Amino acid sequence: NPSITLDSINSTTQDTTEKQSNEDAATTSSVSNSFIFNKEELEILSSVLLSHKGIKTHSLPKRLAIASYLGLSETVDRLISMGADPNQPYDIVDNSGEMWTAAHYAAASRQFETLFSLFLKGANLNKPNKLDYTPLDFLVMDLDLWDMTVNSKKLFSWGAQTNYQLGHADLKDKKVPTKVKALENHNVERISCSSHASAVLTEDSKVFIWGIGDALGSNSNIQMTPAAVNTNAHNQDVSISKRSGAIVADGVLYTFGKGLTLGHGYDHLDIKYPKPIRSLKGSYISRVIMAPHHCCALTSEGHLLTWGDGSKGALGLGFLKDQDTPRIVPLTNSHLIQVAASSCFTAALTSKGDVYYFGLGDPNPKRVVFEWGYPSLQKFNDSRTPCEIAVGKTQLLILMRSYSVYCKLPKDKFPNIVPLSQEVVHIECCSDQCYALSKLGKLYQWSILDSSSPPLSQFPVRMSNLAVSKKHCLCLVPDPIPSAKNTNNLEEKESHIAYKNELRSLINHYSG
């Protein structure tokens, strides 16, 4: 019996969209709505899969993969009892190279009963294939369970709890993301953290801060669990560093804490409660980033304001002097939409996709050039256009519209692509560490000192946003909502059709 290859699939001329009667559909096993086999075909295939004389050239793993994909739960149980290993990978379509397990096939074709049966028989639902996708990932992708923008988001934290920065009512460190129970009744929109404190902005415009130090926005230097900080206005953004914090409310920038980063002048370097910066009256502030030694703010007109420690050039003003009040960074003809900052490094992203950076001893803004040129000179909506930036100790991370990530170090003429196996939707940096969230809410973490491919963290939650410090991390975890959307991805459809043709060819070959 010859093995069935992709060539034989392509030569199959059978109609892959065969219509079935309502009676047939009602009696069909719980196969995916888009790829249905009638009852007679399933019975033939089940008998073939269990035949000791039938598919001599096909191994038990392949039989199990086919049965799992079609949702033949009883056949799956019998094949496992015959010795089939539910965790042994096998590609139904020859040479695809993805190496799916039986659970991958059951999850991809929405065979919930079969997937549960496999789980009870020892199938590992977190076993990744060669592309780092697990059976649970396939459920997420095929059922559109994961909505990173619409669903309610709960706050989780992990890492060191030495300064109460995790928000849990104890002093225990957390090795994995753990829900912050004090905020479980709030949907969180934005998050920020430093090594000493954490801050969030909720969906209903409330700001909560906790930890130890001067940046708590209150008369206390210790706050074990999240406490509300009031500006008497509609809060829009929040950012926090070790010694100071900032809140944007109704376009007004409020700061609190200690140091030049407050922006109120040398006469006001110690402010307990949020205070509006008077020199910004008339400017509408949209975003703020409070770095350890300087502060950055974006206006609604797309201008960048900086102030604080200028000794490292992180203010981008063309000179190495401190500034006690906000100054506009001279980036002419640029409408800025994002800013990122670390202790002595700043970067800004324009609406056309250009990235500027300054600091590390150089106060003059420079534009990032890629091997293919400047993003603003490419075609509109080019997949190579940057859409998000992050900076660390010396590294600049750039996320593209194609979901790929590039990294630029001071020694690099051009940014270099980071070899990540999954598409990325969010990036962060802290010191020499880099972080990236995949489309499926999985986390990559790596160091710029390590040249190996970044690994995926095996955390039990899927994240939609991330904030990091040297000691701990915050993340948002969306609640999955089932959906019955059909995929519009032509490649995915062709892949499913290939699997269906493979199975139909197998049925025809043995049923005569």
Side-chain angles (χ1 to χ4, degrees):
N1 300 322
S3 60
I4 300 173
T5 65
L6 282 172
D7 291 335
S8 67
I9 293 173
N10 294 333
S11 64
T12 302
T13 57
Q14 277 194 314
D15 181 9
T16 60
T17 58
E18 177 182 348
K19 295 182 180 179
Q20 293 182 317
S21 66
N22 292 334
E23 182 179 353
D24 284 338
T27 57
T28 300
S29 179
S30 57
V31 182
S32 170
N33 292 335
S34 302
F35 311 100
I36 297 177
F37 290 83
N38 60 41
K39 183 178 179 180
E40 181 181 355
E41 288 176 322
L42 289 174
E43 288 178 350
I44 295 172
L45 182 55
S46 179
S47 63
V48 169
L49 291 173
L50 294 173
S51 171
H52 292 281
K53 298 180 180 180
I55 322 174
K56 292 182 180 180
T57 60
H58 292 278
S59 66
L60 280 175
K62 184 162 188 176
R63 302 191 199 190
L64 184 63
I66 294 172
S68 300
Y69 186 78
L70 292 178
L72 301 173
S73 298
E74 293 184 4
T75 305
V76 165
D77 290 343
R78 291 185 62 183
L79 286 171
I80 292 176
S81 68
M82 292 166 59
D85 181 358
N87 293 311
Q88 183 175 346
Y90 200 98
D91 288 324
I92 291 181
V93 176
D94 293 344
N95 301 320
S96 69
E98 293 189 13
M99 301 305 288
W100 289 12
T101 66
H104 281 95
Y105 290 107
S109 58
R110 307 171 185 175
Q111 307 297 347
F112 302 119
E113 181 181 346
T114 303
L115 186 63
F116 184 67
S117 179
L118 285 165
F119 173 71
L120 294 179
K121 296 290 185 180
N124 182 0
L125 303 189
N126 283 311
K127 182 181 177 67
N129 66 358
K130 283 194 173 182
L131 298 181
D132 282 328
Y133 290 110
T134 71
L136 292 182
D137 293 337
F138 277 31
L139 279 178
V140 168
M141 288 187 291
D142 285 1
L143 291 178
D144 289 329
L145 291 176
W146 203 245
D147 191 330
M148 301 178 73
T149 60
V150 177
N151 303 335
S152 61
K153 303 178 184 73
K154 304 304 178 184
L155 181 69
F156 284 63
S157 64
W158 75 99
Q161 174 69 333
T162 51
N163 297 319
Y164 303 112
Q165 65 267 45
L166 297 184
H168 306 292
D170 57 45
L171 276 174
K172 296 180 180 179
D173 297 347
K174 308 296 180 185
K175 293 183 179 181
V176 297
T178 305
K179 181 183 287 188
V180 179
K181 293 184 178 180
L183 293 174
E184 62 182 348
N185 293 325
H186 295 273
N187 292 327
V188 178
E189 288 293 327
R190 290 182 179 171
I191 53 181
S192 177
C193 65
S194 71
S195 58
H196 285 62
S198 301
V200 302
L201 172 69
T202 65
E203 191 179 60
D204 54 359
S205 183
K206 294 180 180 178
V207 169
F208 293 89
I209 300 177
W210 62 97
I212 290 178
D214 303 313
L216 302 182
S218 68
N219 199 38
S220 173
N221 289 327
I222 299 177
Q223 182 61 51
M224 291 182 62
T225 55
V229 177
N230 193 15
T231 61
N232 295 316
H234 180 79
N235 299 316
Q236 299 163 294
D237 196 15
V238 64
S239 184
I240 199 168
S241 69
K242 181 179 179 180
R243 300 190 63 199
S244 52
I247 298 173
V248 177
D250 289 330
V252 177
L253 180 58
Y254 296 75
T255 59
F256 49 92
K258 290 185 177 181
L260 284 178
T261 53
L262 300 182
H264 296 283
Y266 284 105
D267 296 332
H268 300 85
L269 300 180
D270 188 349
I271 299 174
K272 293 289 186 181
Y273 299 96
K275 179 181 179 179
I277 299 179
R278 292 183 179 180
S279 64
L280 292 179
K281 187 176 181 180
S283 297
Y284 191 96
I285 305 300
S286 57
R287 294 299 304 269
V288 63
I289 295 292
M290 184 65 76
H293 305 299
H294 70 292
C295 191
C296 308
L298 288 179
T299 69
S300 58
E301 292 83 13
H303 299 307
L304 173 61
L305 301 163
T306 62
W307 62 97
D309 184 351
S311 64
K312 301 298 182 181
L315 302 185
L317 300 175
F319 49 81
L320 300 175
K321 294 182 180 179
D322 296 347
Q323 293 295 310
D324 62 334
T325 56
R327 294 273 304 264
I328 293 181
V329 178
L331 294 174
T332 56
N333 301 319
S334 297
H335 186 277
L336 302 176
I337 58 174
Q338 190 202 347
V339 61
S342 61
S343 59
C344 55
F345 194 19
T346 306
L349 175 66
T350 74
S351 58
K352 293 183 178 180
D354 282 330
V355 179
Y356 290 88
Y357 64 98
F358 39 91
L360 302 178
D362 188 348
N364 300 297
K366 291 180 171 55
R367 186 163 55 156
V368 174
V369 58
F370 294 84
E371 287 187 287
W372 56 84
Y374 294 113
S376 59
L377 301 180
Q378 308 303 313
K379 293 181 179 179
F380 184 69
N381 278 336
D382 190 292
S383 62
R384 297 174 299 182
T385 301
C387 62
E388 187 178 9
I389 54 175
V391 296
K393 186 177 181 179
T394 61
Q395 74 273 30
L396 168 61
L397 277 192
I398 303 172
L399 175 63
M400 300 297 192
R401 289 178 179 169
S402 59
Y403 308 109
S404 57
V405 177
Y406 285 74
C407 180
K408 185 182 186 306
L409 299 175
K411 64 181 178 62
D412 298 328
K413 182 178 180 181
F414 306 114
N416 296 304
I417 193 166
V418 182
L420 303 175
S421 58
Q422 294 187 12
E423 294 180 329
V424 170
V425 294
H426 180 60
I427 50 176
E428 287 285 342
C429 292
C430 182
S431 188
D432 62 0
Q433 296 294 306
C434 302
Y435 302 80
L437 286 183
S438 77
K439 263 187 173 182
L440 294 172
K442 290 193 167 187
L443 176 64
Y444 290 97
Q445 179 181 353
W446 70 97
S447 169
I448 58 173
L449 306 176
D450 186 357
S451 60
S452 60
S453 297
L456 271 174
S457 299
Q458 298 301 316
F459 287 139
V461 299
R462 299 172 188 271
M463 310 170 195
S464 67
N465 201 354
L466 185 71
V468 297
S469 79
K470 290 182 179 180
K471 295 184 177 181
H472 76 298
C473 298
L474 304 179
C475 71
L476 300 184
V477 177
D479 294 331
I481 299 176
S483 170
K485 295 179 181 178
N486 291 322
T487 178
N488 290 319
N489 188 308
L490 181 60
E491 186 176 333
E492 288 181 13
K493 286 185 176 180
E494 289 178 346
S495 175
H496 279 288
I497 290 174
Y499 285 127
K500 184 178 179 182
N501 285 346
E502 171 86 12
L503 298 175
R504 284 194 181 277
S505 298
L506 190 62
I507 290 174
N508 293 336
H509 182 79
Y510 287 106
S511 63

